[in-house]
Amino acid sequence: MPRSCFCGLPAPYDDCCGRFHRGEAAAATAEQLMRSRFSAFGVGDAAYLLRTWHPSARPARIDLDKKTRWVRLEVLESTGGSVVHTEGTVRFRAHYLERGRPCEMEEHSRFVRLEGRWVYAGTM
């Protein structure tokens, strides 16, 4: 049976965020991009995280902690970010295990379209 997607949507990873990670499709909305970025943390795809980060704020590299396991995502609110917008925000709560200890973080992220594709532009 295919593995469920990390992003929380009821679809197998390969059919959901996996297609974005493989470059077969691009996120149509800011929320979809945010979900795919969460999934990238889940599968350890640092290259995808860098590709979907706005160049003005993109770090030179990302070192993902192998002792952190991303387990659940809650989308709390989103504004704009649809197929007709050029900007959007997504507020979310990410649940993870750090060295086996349950943790969570909440973030209000900003997304913009760059050359027709959604990219992560930082936090609010």
Side-chain angles (χ1 to χ4, degrees):
M1 179 174 197
R3 176 175 66 180
S4 294
C5 195
F6 286 88
C7 79
L9 294 178
Y13 166 76
D14 283 341
D15 298 335
C16 193
C17 293
R19 63 197 171 107
F20 303 131
H21 299 169
R22 293 187 303 271
E24 298 170 2
T29 66
E31 182 178 325
Q32 199 173 47
L33 179 66
M34 192 279 309
R35 286 180 179 279
S36 71
R37 286 177 55 84
F38 178 83
S39 289
F41 278 101
V43 298
D45 191 344
Y48 180 78
L49 293 167
L50 290 171
R51 278 195 314 274
T52 58
W53 211 312
H54 194 282
S56 68
R58 181 187 305 138
R61 59 183 262 203
I62 300 173
D63 294 319
L64 299 176
D65 186 347
K66 294 185 187 325
K67 293 180 181 161
T68 300
R69 194 173 118 230
W70 299 91
V71 295
R72 187 166 63 92
L73 175 68
E74 292 176 81
V75 173
L76 305 172
E77 170 187 25
S78 63
T79 61
S82 77
V83 295
V84 299
H85 293 105
T86 57
E87 295 184 2
T89 67
V90 180
R91 191 169 62 86
F92 65 91
R93 185 174 299 125
H95 298 266
Y96 60 99
L97 297 173
E98 190 169 284
R99 292 167 175 74
R101 194 186 86 216
C103 302
E104 65 181 49
M105 63 164 280
E106 192 169 311
E107 184 174 301
H108 196 175
S109 299
R110 190 163 90 46
F111 298 87
V112 297
R113 281 195 192 265
L114 180 66
E115 298 173 359
R117 291 182 177 246
W118 286 105
V119 293
Y120 171 69
T123 59
M124 301 287 296

